């Protein structure tokens, strides 16, 4: 007997043992159809007098990766048998049930395995309850069964961290009754069938996890300690605390009541904005890796060597990212002095990691050995990829790209790290625009996870596919952007900066604006950020742009600071003042004087500005520009924009990014506020709600991912 059910379950018989094999690639997600198939197969096995024991198995790759996350929040998730029901029925089985575990056994998958009476696992199987990473807790008995199988303390650590552990590390606990080495003859399924036969031969009764005691000599004291340490580390997320409370129930309440309370806590967490945000980001990262119009079979080009041009702030960090990923890097500079400075900075960064114990001396030596600093552009002839990070000046970029075109081998990818310049114009400096792409790294490039991949008009699909694959190799998150001034991130940032500036003019102080945004969750407000990055950079850009456009500069307060020599941290003063050798921003009456003078010149009487207004204006400025970016097709989806802000601009994970935040607030509310700002006297026209935003708000829709 060997039959497949429509739910993705194979049913077979091995003597007196019924073998149920989940077969729903890729990871046996426990969607409604598979749950139903499992419940029916269980009923049949129980009804069949020839069956005396049951083995539940998955594939070599996955016992089960857990709940089907695409089902969350849909009617299918609530369809019986829900997971807790199925697990309860499995556990109640009068015939022994043995789980055969290989590959991943995570979340609901582990909860299912814990509902079985015995478990046989390959020693390298990965066991864990990662629900907390999505702002949830294990809601199908995990918080009650795991403490009974591995002890209170270990269970709590696993559930609160969400980190998986190899099955071998559970040797000696009731979580694994037998381990199978990967090298052993026969697989885990054969071992589980043999285990079931032994159970039958010995006449052992089913061992129901829920009936086991929770072992801990000083449970109350331990739980109290756990509550404190978890509360301190959880930040704005409620899930870790709820995990502790749920695990505590395994000690304080009868198991049936505890299981009911666990389920209630799970459903309550499911409805929290923090969990919604985490699930949004999880889906966003998966979506960003797929480009809607990239043929799925587009093969990336192999990248075995790279060159970075310019060893300044960005070039050095970009070179480190490649070195860290094991790639050999040619680093090209114009002068020996600049090259030496760049290499010294790279070395210093590695030394500081080594001192902190994050990098071994051998690994540091290996990374530095992969670096070839040079002044000779002949060194570029054979590399597979060049990333240009020279001065932000079209003339300088032109000279570099003409040279690359002449030198590089056919098929080499020519990338620019420009922040604002037109990648189509840069591509046109070469005879091979299909090989040109923007790879916009963020500072510090060896640390920041974001990589904006700028797709120019003629960028070839394989070049995009290569850029996405490369980002994964570097441990970065790639988001594809179209060509426009500032791409996704910096184009929106310009609106945000203008909104923050106008709040100062209206009556706020830099510390108030920064404070309000930091309390909202940003790593750093715009004025602290400006002081850190250096105000002279924006000043130079504004002057250059005004000169290029032949128009006078729009006056802004930052110009006054720069005229007074206040460039930020590096000069000891900017928006804030800094004491020698310290980075703490201190409010400065000089700045307040300059702001007051600016208001006077513009005939503004200062008014009170609330924290809520600061957050509304700064966030909605981002959202409105984000909607325009979406409408123009510069970003493929709203969730891509969120990833840019979460990974490149210090936005808080628990808010899910600015576009998701706007949906949480409700798009009609965002539109209402934008209309209010746009109607103010002398309002900047950019406050006018974007047409896309208006349409979605009127239709009662969201951005749709
Ligand atoms: P930087 O001034 O620190 O470094 C530029 C380096 O390029 C200098 O060391 C210079 O000697 C070198 N250089 C100039 N012309 C060269 C040539 N023809 N050949 C070889 N080397 C040459 O500048 P940066 O901040 O690293 O910025 C570099 C690029 O990265 C710019 O396009 C900038 O817009 C972009 N960018 C900067 C940031 C940032 O935060 N600084 C972030 C993202 C992107």
């Amino acid at each position: 007997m060997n039959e497949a059910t429509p739910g993705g379950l194979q049913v077979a018989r091995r003597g007196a043992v019924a073998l149920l094999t989940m077969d729903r690639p890729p990871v046996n997600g426990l969607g409604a159809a598979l749950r139903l198939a499992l419940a029916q197969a269980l009923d049949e096995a129980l009804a069949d007098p020839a069956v005396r024991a049951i083995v539940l198995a998955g594939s070599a790759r996955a016992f089960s990766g857990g709940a089907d996350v695409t089902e969350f929040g849909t009617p299918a998730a609530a369809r019986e048998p829900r997971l807790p029901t199925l697990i309860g029925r499995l556990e109640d089985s009068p015939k022994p049930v043995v789980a055969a575990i290989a590959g991943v056994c995570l979340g609901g998958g582990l909860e299912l395995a814990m509902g079985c009476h015995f478990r046989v696992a390959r020693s390298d199987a990965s066991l864990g309850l990662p629900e907390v990473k999505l702002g949830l807790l294990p809601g199908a008995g995990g918080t009650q069964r795991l403490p009974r199988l591995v002890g209170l303390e270990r269970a709590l650590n696993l559930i609160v961290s969400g980190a998986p552990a190899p099955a071998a590390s559970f040797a000696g606990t009731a979580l694994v009754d037998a381990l199978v080495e990967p090298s052993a003859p026969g697989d885990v399924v054969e071992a589980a069938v043999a285990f079931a036969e032994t159970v039958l031969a010995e006449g052992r009764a089913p061992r129901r996890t829920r009936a086991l005691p929770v072992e801990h000599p000083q449970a109350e004291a331990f739980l109290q300690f756990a509550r404190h340490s978890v509360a301190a580390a959880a930040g704005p997320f409620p899930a870790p605390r709820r995990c502790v409370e749920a695990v505590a129930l395994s000690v304080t309440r009868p198991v049936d009541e505890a299981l009911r309370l666990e389920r209630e806590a799970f459903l309550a967490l499911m409805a929290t904005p923090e969990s919604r945000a985490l699930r949004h980001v999880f889906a966003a990262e998966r979506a960003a890796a797929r480009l809607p119009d990239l043929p799925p079979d587009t093969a990336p080009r192999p990248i075995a060597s790279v060159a970075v041009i310019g060893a300044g702030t960005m070039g050095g960090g970009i070179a480190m990212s490649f070195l860290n990923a094991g790639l050999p890097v040619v680093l090209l500079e114009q002068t020996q002095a600049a090259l030496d400075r760049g290499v010294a900075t790279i070395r210093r960064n590695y030394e500081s990691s080594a001192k902190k114990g994050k990098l071994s001396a051998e690994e540091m030596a290996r990374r530095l050995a992969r670096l070839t600093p040079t002044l000779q552009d002949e060194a570029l002839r054979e590399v597979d990829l060049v990333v240009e990070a020279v001065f932000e000046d079209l003339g300088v970029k032109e000279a570099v790209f003409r040279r690359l075109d002449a030198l590089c081998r056919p098929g080499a990818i020519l990338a620019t790290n420009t922040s604002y310049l037109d990648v189509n114009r840069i591509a046109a400096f070469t005879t091979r625009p299909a090989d040109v792409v923007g790879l916009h790294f963020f500072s510090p490039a060896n640390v920041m996870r974001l990589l904006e991949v700028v797709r120019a008009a003629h960028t070839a699909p394989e070049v995009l596919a290569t850029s996405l694959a490369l980002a994964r190799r570097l441990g970065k998150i790639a988001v594809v952007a179209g060509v426009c001034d500032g791409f996704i991130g910096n184009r929106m940032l310009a609106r945000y900066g203008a909104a923050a500036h106008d709040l100062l003019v209206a009556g706020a102080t830099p510390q108030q604006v920064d404070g309000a945004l930091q309390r909202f969750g940003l790593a750093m407000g715009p004025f602290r950020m400006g002081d850190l990055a250096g105000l002279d950079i924006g000043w130079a850009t504004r002057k250059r742009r005004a000169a290029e456009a032949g128009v006078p500069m729009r006056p802004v307060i930052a110009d006054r600071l720069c005229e007074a020599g206040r460039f930020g941290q590096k000069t000891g003063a900017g928006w804030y003042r800094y004491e020698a050798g310290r980075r703490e921003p201190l409010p400065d009456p000089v700045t307040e004087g300059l702001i007051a003078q600016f208001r006077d010149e513009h005939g503004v009487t200062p008014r009170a500005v609330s924290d809520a207004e600061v957050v509304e204006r700064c966030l909605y400025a981002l959202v409105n520009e984000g909607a325009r970016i979406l409408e123009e097709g510069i970003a493929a989806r709203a969730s891509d924009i969120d990833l840019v802000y979460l990974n490149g601009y210090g936005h808080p994970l628990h808010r899910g990014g600015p576009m998701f935040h706007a949906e949480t607030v409700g798009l009609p509310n965002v539109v209402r506020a934008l209309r209010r700002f746009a109607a103010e006297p002398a309002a900047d026209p950019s406050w006018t709600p974007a047409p896309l935003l208006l349409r979605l708000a009127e239709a009662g829709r969201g951005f749709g991912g």
Side-chain angles (χ1 to χ4, degrees), residues 124-149:
D124 59 353
S126 178
L127 276 48
L129 293 172
E131 286 80 353
V132 71
K133 294 184 180 171
L134 295 181
L136 300 170
L137 53 73
T143 64
Q144 303 309 304
R145 291 192 179 89
L146 194 57
R148 290 176 159 82
L149 294 172

Side-chain angles (χ1 to χ4, degrees), residues 253-503:
R253 300 292 174 93
V255 68
D256 284 332
E257 186 186 350
L259 285 170
R260 192 173 49 71
L261 292 172
E262 176 206 68
R263 190 73 192 166
E264 279 174 16
F266 171 80
L267 293 173
L269 282 174
M270 190 68 114
T272 59
E274 292 82 4
S275 173
R276 285 180 197 274
L278 289 170
R279 283 178 277 140
H280 165 70
V281 175
F282 178 80
E285 291 187 4
R286 291 179 159 204
R290 293 189 303 270
L291 268 192
D293 57 345
L294 199 64
D297 53 352
T298 311
R301 295 182 189 166
I303 301 288
S305 62
V306 300
V308 176
I309 309 191
T313 310
M314 293 309 291
I318 294 168
M320 286 178 74
S321 296
F322 289 126
L323 295 171
N324 297 352
L327 282 157
V329 177
V330 169
L331 184 61
L332 179 75
E333 254 295 346
Q334 257 179 330
T335 64
Q336 191 64 46
L339 189 59
D340 291 346
R341 222 175 15 250
V343 173
T345 307
I346 292 176
R347 179 179 290 278
R348 209 172 38 248
N349 281 334
Y350 280 140
E351 279 166 357
S352 124
S353 302
K355 239 183 241 146
K356 290 182 198 145
K358 292 186 194 158
L359 188 67
S360 69
E362 299 76 45
E363 180 55 23
M364 171 172 142
R366 273 195 293 275
R367 290 183 191 182
L368 285 169
R370 287 195 283 267
L371 179 68
T372 310
T374 182
L375 299 175
Q376 308 301 322
D377 55 11
E378 293 299 315
L380 305 177
R381 279 194 191 281
E382 292 309 318
V383 297
D384 300 320
L385 164 73
V386 181
V387 182
E388 161 280 308
V390 302
F391 302 130
E392 183 78 340
D393 177 290
L394 199 62
V396 178
K397 307 270 190 209
E398 173 170 2
V400 168
F401 273 82
R402 289 199 189 283
R403 191 79 187 119
L404 292 178
D405 193 28
L407 270 175
C408 292
R409 65 165 185 76
I413 294 176
L414 311 181
T416 172
N417 183 49
T418 181
S419 305
Y420 292 96
L421 298 174
D422 182 341
V423 184
N424 286 324
R425 287 182 70 184
I426 293 177
F429 298 140
T430 73
T431 57
R432 36 173 134 172
D435 293 334
V436 177
V437 67
L439 290 182
H440 185 210
F441 289 79
F442 285 69
S443 180
N446 53 315
V447 176
M448 299 294 285
R449 272 181 95 204
L450 180 64
L451 181 66
E452 258 184 328
V453 174
V454 185
R455 170 187 209 165
H458 299 290
T459 307
E462 321 88 78
V463 172
L464 281 177
T466 311
S467 303
L468 297 180
L470 185 71
R472 272 195 294 281
R473 207 162 147 194
L474 302 183
K476 300 207 183 283
I477 293 195
V479 172
V480 177
V483 173
C484 65
D485 191 3
F487 317 122
I488 298 174
N490 284 343
R491 171 168 160 186
M492 288 168 62
L493 193 73
R495 304 299 344 134
Y496 165 83
H501 173 269
D502 292 350
L503 282 162

